Amino acid sequence: MQNIFNKIFGTSQAQKFFSPGRVNLIGEHTDHEGGFVFPCAINLGISALAQPRTDDTIRLYSMNFDEGAFTPFEIKIDEIKSKSEIRTWVNYPLGVVNVLKNHGYKFGGADILYNGNLPGGAGLSSSAAIEVLTGKIFSELYKLNIDGVKMARFSQEAENNFVGMNCGIMDQFAVSMGKKNCAVLLNCSTLEYSYAPLELENFKIVITNSNVPHSLAGSEYNLRRQQCEAALADIKTKKEISCLCDLTPNELDEFSFSIADPVNLKRARHAVSENARAIRASEALKAGDLNLFGRLMNASHVSLRDDYQVTVPELDILASLAWKLDGVVGSRMTGGGFGGCTVSIVENNSVENFKNSIGADYERLTGRKADFYVIETSDGAGKCK
Ligand code: GLA
């Protein structure tokens, strides 16, 4: 990577940075409804080499997207106004630089080379990874002293306002604040968080990529959010709450009559039940009850399939194949849905069988090949030591 940096930018003063991706264990589509999420940062991610410049030009190059071109994308900080239609990947870093500038931070230019091993479009947060990574690079190069929680918020702001994807805070938070050997229990309405040790000695976290590219920026994600908002507005006519996840499942049941549209009620039921599951699952983990944790993961998938309706047949097939296998504690789709990955907790000595058996059955049933990543947890984004 250093050779390529020298070839493109002509110097070798670069510092090395890494940002993980994330996998969410449970608490899906609760972040935008003020609920709990339970993700961890993973050891697949994006590396970067970066150096400050003496002018205010930013030069960006991706070994994943710009292959063979060897000409970096170049822009002056003050000229960042709207999205690039040509090299669309640069919109994520540009968005973050723009947000930092709008918040009044003063900094100069930089040369940055990115190289990732996170599969794109798989729902493992490559967008959040490059956003937080870029923010942390500028914070480090120009001593901006931006803490990890603030950086997560700035990155979310970039994605919402510059990229135009109305995501919640989970991905950026997990990528910024993740901790090795831990999952992060985050309350998305207060941003209070705690780390839960993931002591999975005899188990592995296995991510299975359906290789159906997810299209979150598409209208479905925003539509689900609108349906939840409509349900919230209906309930508010009968009960004072500030977000859907203020409700327990029993309370939602009690006020379900106030939600006019049955589809909106299903969306609300998912958010509220998933929030309760996320809390219960984190407690089960603390108490060492991995089997309960696994059953809650399975229940999460069912709710995402039937009430929130963001799975696709391929994800349902992957989850139900996993549920039938010995040595699988739990399995569910992870991330926004409409393609992407499942996450499963699998006994160490069942991992090979998991890959072989699910790989073969999935291909037979769908005609697609699945990819498997047996991941480790990771620290959040930052400068490499
Ligand atoms: C995407 C969004 C997150 C979150 C998940 C679903 O990953 O970026 O904010 O809403 O979907 O849990």
Side-chain angles (χ1 to χ4, degrees):
M1 203 173 164
Q2 183 68 60
N3 288 345
I4 301 205
F5 188 91
N6 297 351
K7 184 163 177 180
I8 292 168
F9 299 116
T11 48
S12 57
Q13 308 298 312
Q15 302 175 41
K16 190 159 191 211
F17 296 81
F18 175 75
S19 176
R22 69 93 189 90
V23 67
N24 189 21
L25 298 176
I26 195 160
E28 211 68 83
H29 284 285
T30 48
D31 62 347
H32 43 79
E33 305 311 317
F36 281 86
V37 292
F38 200 46
C40 48
I42 61 176
N43 60 339
L44 297 173
I46 306 177
S47 298
L49 290 174
Q51 66 182 3
R53 293 175 56 88
T54 50
D55 58 15
D56 63 349
T57 296
I58 292 176
R59 295 197 293 170
L60 308 171
Y61 188 89
S62 161
M63 289 170 63
N64 305 96
F65 295 109
D66 297 333
E67 217 189 331
F70 293 115
T71 20
F73 178 89
E74 194 171 319
I75 194 164
K76 286 194 189 319
I77 293 170
D78 279 338
E79 283 168 4
I80 303 173
K81 299 254 150 57
S82 56
K83 290 201 282 185
S84 161
E85 302 296 334
I86 303 160
R87 287 204 211 180
T88 48
W89 72 267
V90 301
N91 293 324
Y92 299 90
L94 293 186
V96 172
V97 172
N98 204 40
V99 166
L100 296 182
K101 187 183 73 185
N102 291 344
H103 281 274
Y105 290 97
K106 300 275 175 270
F107 51 89
D111 292 333
I112 310 177
L113 174 68
Y114 300 95
N115 186 20
N117 63 357
L118 263 179
L124 301 177
S125 289
S126 53
S127 320
I130 195 167
E131 288 158 1
V132 173
L133 179 60
T134 306
K136 293 209 176 182
I137 288 173
F138 278 91
S139 183
E140 177 70 30
L141 296 184
Y142 290 100
K143 303 288 170 245
L144 304 179
N145 273 324
I146 302 172
D147 68 41
V149 174
K150 234 184 200 173
M151 193 59 87
R153 296 171 95 141
F154 289 157
S155 301
Q156 183 200 14
E157 190 180 327
E159 180 129 1
N160 290 166
N161 301 342
F162 194 85
V163 177
M165 157 72 190
N166 200 16
C167 64
I169 186 77
M170 169 171 74
D171 303 348
Q172 291 78 7
F173 200 98
V175 160
S176 184
M177 296 295 293
K179 194 165 160 179
K180 195 162 171 54
N181 297 323
C182 290
V184 192
L185 182 67
L186 171 67
N187 177 340
C188 297
S189 68
T190 61
L191 293 193
E192 280 168 326
Y193 64 96
S194 58
Y195 293 108
L198 273 181
E199 280 150 4
L200 298 175
E201 280 146 42
N202 301 321
F203 300 87
K204 292 271 182 279
I205 299 175
V206 184
I207 296 174
T208 307
N209 190 346
S210 68
N211 284 316
V212 177
H214 78 153
S215 55
L216 270 186
S219 54
E220 291 292 336
Y221 184 93
N222 290 343
L223 176 62
R224 294 299 180 285
R225 289 197 63 165
Q226 283 159 18
Q227 291 166 329
C228 286
E229 262 164 43
L232 176 64
D234 284 349
I235 292 182
K236 274 180 162 173
T237 61
K238 302 286 176 206
K239 184 176 169 62
E240 224 173 277
I241 51 168
S242 55
C243 56
L244 280 181
C245 290
D246 282 350
L247 297 170
T248 63
N250 280 343
E251 285 167 338
L252 176 64
D253 192 42
E254 194 183 324
F255 287 93
S256 54
F257 71 94
S258 66
I259 301 179
D261 182 333
V263 172
N264 295 351
L265 174 59
K266 282 215 271 190
R267 308 303 188 235
R269 195 174 285 138
H270 167 74
V272 171
S273 67
E274 181 72 358
N275 188 43
R277 272 187 293 273
I279 296 167
R280 208 171 149 213
S282 69
E283 282 161 5
L285 192 70
K286 232 183 271 163
D289 192 345
L290 204 58
N291 286 325
L292 173 57
F293 191 90
R295 286 195 300 278
L296 292 167
M297 288 175 77
N298 299 350
S300 165
H301 185 93
V302 171
S303 177
L304 288 156
R305 183 192 66 196
D306 298 345
D307 281 344
Y308 215 60
Q309 296 181 296
V310 292
T311 64
V312 287
E314 287 85 347
L315 289 173
D316 296 335
I317 287 170
L318 284 176
S320 43
L321 287 172
W323 296 339
K324 285 187 208 125
L325 276 188
D326 283 343
V328 176
V329 175
S331 184
R332 57 179 287 274
M333 63 146 270
T334 185
F338 300 104
C341 296
T342 61
V343 57
S344 310
I345 298 183
V346 185
E347 256 175 50
N348 287 345
N349 52 18
S350 301
V351 170
E352 274 317 298
N353 181 47
F354 180 95
K355 292 201 254 182
N356 294 335
S357 155
I358 293 191
D361 286 346
Y362 181 68
E363 192 170 353
R364 183 173 48 78
L365 293 167
T366 66
R368 289 178 189 272
K369 277 199 189 318
D371 287 317
F372 298 91
Y373 320 110
V374 181
I375 55 104
E376 303 287 330
T377 52
S378 160
D379 285 326
K383 190 172 164 184
C384 300
K385 287 179 188 119

Short mmCIF file of all heavy atoms in Angstrom, two decimals, residues 116-150:
data_model
loop_
_atom_site.label_atom_id
_atom_site.label_comp_id
_atom_site.label_asym_id
_atom_site.label_seq_id
_atom_site.Cartn_x
_atom_site.Cartn_y
_atom_site.Cartn_z
N GLY A 116 -9.83 -1.23 1.22
CA GLY A 116 -10.71 -1.97 2.13
C GLY A 116 -10.84 -3.43 1.79
O GLY A 116 -10.64 -3.83 0.64
N ASN A 117 -11.19 -4.24 2.80
CA ASN A 117 -11.53 -5.64 2.52
C ASN A 117 -12.95 -5.97 3.00
O ASN A 117 -13.28 -7.11 3.25
CB ASN A 117 -10.51 -6.60 3.13
CG ASN A 117 -10.45 -6.52 4.65
OD1 ASN A 117 -11.13 -5.71 5.25
ND2 ASN A 117 -9.64 -7.35 5.26
N LEU A 118 -13.76 -4.91 3.16
CA LEU A 118 -15.17 -5.11 3.50
C LEU A 118 -15.93 -5.29 2.21
O LEU A 118 -15.86 -4.42 1.34
CB LEU A 118 -15.72 -3.82 4.13
CG LEU A 118 -15.80 -3.66 5.61
CD1 LEU A 118 -16.35 -2.27 5.93
CD2 LEU A 118 -16.63 -4.73 6.27
N PRO A 119 -16.69 -6.36 2.08
CA PRO A 119 -17.47 -6.49 0.85
C PRO A 119 -18.47 -5.33 0.73
O PRO A 119 -19.19 -5.06 1.69
CB PRO A 119 -18.18 -7.83 1.01
CG PRO A 119 -18.14 -8.13 2.47
CD PRO A 119 -16.94 -7.45 3.04
N GLY A 120 -18.47 -4.65 -0.39
CA GLY A 120 -19.40 -3.52 -0.58
C GLY A 120 -20.82 -4.02 -0.76
O GLY A 120 -21.03 -5.15 -1.22
N GLY A 121 -21.79 -3.23 -0.38
CA GLY A 121 -23.20 -3.58 -0.61
C GLY A 121 -23.65 -4.79 0.19
O GLY A 121 -24.67 -5.39 -0.10
N ALA A 122 -22.88 -5.15 1.24
CA ALA A 122 -23.23 -6.36 2.00
C ALA A 122 -23.86 -6.01 3.34
O ALA A 122 -24.18 -6.89 4.13
CB ALA A 122 -21.99 -7.21 2.21
N GLY A 123 -24.01 -4.72 3.62
CA GLY A 123 -24.65 -4.33 4.87
C GLY A 123 -23.71 -4.43 6.06
O GLY A 123 -24.15 -4.57 7.20
N LEU A 124 -22.40 -4.35 5.81
CA LEU A 124 -21.43 -4.40 6.92
C LEU A 124 -20.83 -3.01 7.18
O LEU A 124 -19.78 -2.87 7.78
CB LEU A 124 -20.35 -5.44 6.65
CG LEU A 124 -20.87 -6.87 6.45
CD1 LEU A 124 -19.74 -7.84 6.11
CD2 LEU A 124 -21.61 -7.37 7.70
N SER A 125 -21.52 -2.00 6.67
CA SER A 125 -21.19 -0.59 6.97
C SER A 125 -19.90 -0.07 6.36
O SER A 125 -19.13 0.63 7.01
CB SER A 125 -21.15 -0.36 8.48
OG SER A 125 -22.42 -0.42 8.99
N SER A 126 -19.68 -0.39 5.10
CA SER A 126 -18.52 0.21 4.44
C SER A 126 -18.68 1.73 4.36
O SER A 126 -17.70 2.46 4.43
CB SER A 126 -18.29 -0.40 3.06
OG SER A 126 -19.47 -0.33 2.29
N SER A 127 -19.93 2.22 4.26
CA SER A 127 -20.14 3.68 4.20
C SER A 127 -19.73 4.33 5.52
O SER A 127 -18.96 5.30 5.53
CB SER A 127 -21.60 4.03 3.96
OG SER A 127 -22.18 3.17 3.04
N ALA A 128 -20.23 3.79 6.63
CA ALA A 128 -19.87 4.36 7.93
C ALA A 128 -18.37 4.25 8.15
O ALA A 128 -17.73 5.17 8.69
CB ALA A 128 -20.62 3.65 9.04
N ALA A 129 -17.77 3.14 7.70
CA ALA A 129 -16.34 2.94 7.91
C ALA A 129 -15.52 4.03 7.22
O ALA A 129 -14.62 4.62 7.83
CB ALA A 129 -15.92 1.56 7.41
N ILE A 130 -15.85 4.35 5.99
CA ILE A 130 -15.05 5.37 5.28
C ILE A 130 -15.35 6.77 5.83
O ILE A 130 -14.46 7.62 5.90
CB ILE A 130 -15.20 5.26 3.75
CG1 ILE A 130 -14.09 6.07 3.07
CG2 ILE A 130 -16.56 5.69 3.26
CD1 ILE A 130 -13.96 5.80 1.58
N GLU A 131 -16.56 6.98 6.28
CA GLU A 131 -16.90 8.29 6.87
C GLU A 131 -16.10 8.53 8.16
O GLU A 131 -15.41 9.54 8.30
CB GLU A 131 -18.40 8.35 7.20
CG GLU A 131 -19.30 8.45 5.98
CD GLU A 131 -20.73 7.98 6.24
OE1 GLU A 131 -21.05 7.58 7.38
OE2 GLU A 131 -21.53 7.99 5.30
N VAL A 132 -16.23 7.58 9.09
CA VAL A 132 -15.57 7.76 10.39
C VAL A 132 -14.05 7.79 10.20
O VAL A 132 -13.34 8.58 10.83
CB VAL A 132 -16.01 6.65 11.36
CG1 VAL A 132 -15.23 6.71 12.65
CG2 VAL A 132 -17.50 6.74 11.64
N LEU A 133 -13.57 6.93 9.32
CA LEU A 133 -12.12 6.88 9.04
C LEU A 133 -11.63 8.25 8.57
O LEU A 133 -10.63 8.78 9.07
CB LEU A 133 -11.86 5.82 7.96
CG LEU A 133 -10.45 5.60 7.47
CD1 LEU A 133 -9.54 5.17 8.61
CD2 LEU A 133 -10.42 4.50 6.39
N THR A 134 -12.34 8.86 7.64
CA THR A 134 -11.93 10.16 7.11
C THR A 134 -11.97 11.22 8.20
O THR A 134 -11.04 12.03 8.34
CB THR A 134 -12.85 10.56 5.94
OG1 THR A 134 -12.85 9.49 4.99
CG2 THR A 134 -12.39 11.84 5.28
N GLY A 135 -13.03 11.20 9.00
CA GLY A 135 -13.14 12.18 10.08
C GLY A 135 -11.99 12.03 11.06
O GLY A 135 -11.37 13.02 11.48
N LYS A 136 -11.66 10.78 11.40
CA LYS A 136 -10.58 10.56 12.37
C LYS A 136 -9.22 10.94 11.78
O LYS A 136 -8.34 11.40 12.49
CB LYS A 136 -10.61 9.13 12.88
CG LYS A 136 -11.87 8.87 13.73
CD LYS A 136 -11.72 7.84 14.81
CE LYS A 136 -13.00 7.75 15.64
NZ LYS A 136 -12.98 6.82 16.76
N ILE A 137 -9.07 10.78 10.48
CA ILE A 137 -7.82 11.20 9.83
C ILE A 137 -7.65 12.71 9.98
O ILE A 137 -6.60 13.19 10.40
CB ILE A 137 -7.80 10.77 8.34
CG1 ILE A 137 -7.62 9.26 8.24
CG2 ILE A 137 -6.72 11.52 7.56
CD1 ILE A 137 -7.77 8.69 6.83
N PHE A 138 -8.68 13.47 9.64
CA PHE A 138 -8.55 14.93 9.75
C PHE A 138 -8.37 15.35 11.21
O PHE A 138 -7.59 16.26 11.51
CB PHE A 138 -9.75 15.63 9.08
CG PHE A 138 -9.57 15.74 7.60
CD1 PHE A 138 -10.03 14.75 6.75
CD2 PHE A 138 -8.86 16.80 7.05
CE1 PHE A 138 -9.83 14.82 5.38
CE2 PHE A 138 -8.64 16.88 5.68
CZ PHE A 138 -9.13 15.88 4.85
N SER A 139 -9.08 14.70 12.11
CA SER A 139 -8.96 15.03 13.52
C SER A 139 -7.52 14.81 13.99
O SER A 139 -6.96 15.62 14.72
CB SER A 139 -9.93 14.19 14.34
OG SER A 139 -9.87 14.54 15.69
N GLU A 140 -6.92 13.72 13.52
CA GLU A 140 -5.54 13.39 13.94
C GLU A 140 -4.51 14.29 13.25
O GLU A 140 -3.64 14.86 13.89
CB GLU A 140 -5.28 11.91 13.59
CG GLU A 140 -3.91 11.41 13.89
CD GLU A 140 -3.60 11.29 15.38
OE1 GLU A 140 -4.55 11.05 16.16
OE2 GLU A 140 -2.42 11.45 15.76
N LEU A 141 -4.65 14.47 11.93
CA LEU A 141 -3.65 15.25 11.19
C LEU A 141 -3.64 16.71 11.65
O LEU A 141 -2.60 17.35 11.65
CB LEU A 141 -3.92 15.21 9.68
CG LEU A 141 -3.82 13.87 8.94
CD1 LEU A 141 -4.01 14.07 7.44
CD2 LEU A 141 -2.48 13.18 9.21
N TYR A 142 -4.82 17.22 12.01
CA TYR A 142 -4.91 18.65 12.36
C TYR A 142 -5.28 18.88 13.83
O TYR A 142 -5.72 19.96 14.20
CB TYR A 142 -5.89 19.35 11.41
CG TYR A 142 -5.31 19.46 10.02
CD1 TYR A 142 -5.67 18.57 9.02
CD2 TYR A 142 -4.33 20.41 9.73
CE1 TYR A 142 -5.11 18.64 7.75
CE2 TYR A 142 -3.75 20.49 8.48
CZ TYR A 142 -4.15 19.60 7.49
OH TYR A 142 -3.55 19.67 6.25
N LYS A 143 -5.10 17.82 14.65
CA LYS A 143 -5.33 17.93 16.11
C LYS A 143 -6.64 18.64 16.43
O LYS A 143 -6.70 19.64 17.14
CB LYS A 143 -4.15 18.66 16.78
CG LYS A 143 -2.80 18.01 16.54
CD LYS A 143 -2.67 16.69 17.31
CE LYS A 143 -1.46 15.87 16.92
NZ LYS A 143 -1.71 14.58 16.30
N LEU A 144 -7.73 18.12 15.85
CA LEU A 144 -9.04 18.76 16.04
C LEU A 144 -9.72 18.28 17.33
O LEU A 144 -10.73 18.86 17.75
CB LEU A 144 -9.96 18.47 14.85
CG LEU A 144 -9.41 18.85 13.48
CD1 LEU A 144 -10.42 18.47 12.37
CD2 LEU A 144 -9.11 20.34 13.40
N ASN A 145 -9.15 17.23 17.93
CA ASN A 145 -9.69 16.74 19.22
C ASN A 145 -11.18 16.44 19.21
O ASN A 145 -11.91 16.92 20.09
CB ASN A 145 -9.44 17.79 20.31
CG ASN A 145 -8.08 17.58 20.91
OD1 ASN A 145 -7.65 16.43 21.06
ND2 ASN A 145 -7.39 18.67 21.22
N ILE A 146 -11.61 15.72 18.22
CA ILE A 146 -13.04 15.37 18.16
C ILE A 146 -13.20 13.98 18.79
O ILE A 146 -12.56 13.03 18.34
CB ILE A 146 -13.51 15.35 16.70
CG1 ILE A 146 -13.24 16.72 16.06
CG2 ILE A 146 -14.98 14.97 16.60
CD1 ILE A 146 -13.50 16.77 14.57
N ASP A 147 -14.04 13.87 19.81
CA ASP A 147 -14.14 12.55 20.44
C ASP A 147 -14.99 11.60 19.58
O ASP A 147 -15.64 12.01 18.63
CB ASP A 147 -14.67 12.67 21.89
CG ASP A 147 -16.12 13.11 21.95
OD1 ASP A 147 -16.93 12.64 21.13
OD2 ASP A 147 -16.46 13.94 22.82
N GLY A 148 -14.94 10.32 19.97
CA GLY A 148 -15.54 9.27 19.15
C GLY A 148 -17.05 9.40 18.98
O GLY A 148 -17.59 9.08 17.93
N VAL A 149 -17.74 9.87 20.04
CA VAL A 149 -19.20 9.98 19.95
C VAL A 149 -19.55 11.13 18.98
O VAL A 149 -20.43 10.98 18.11
CB VAL A 149 -19.81 10.23 21.35
CG1 VAL A 149 -21.30 10.50 21.24
CG2 VAL A 149 -19.54 9.04 22.26
N LYS A 150 -18.83 12.24 19.13
CA LYS A 150 -19.07 13.37 18.23
C LYS A 150 -18.78 12.97 16.79
O LYS A 150 -19.51 13.33 15.86
CB LYS A 150 -18.13 14.51 18.63
CG LYS A 150 -18.85 15.79 18.89
CD LYS A 150 -17.86 16.88 19.18
CE LYS A 150 -18.57 17.98 19.91
NZ LYS A 150 -17.64 19.00 20.37
#
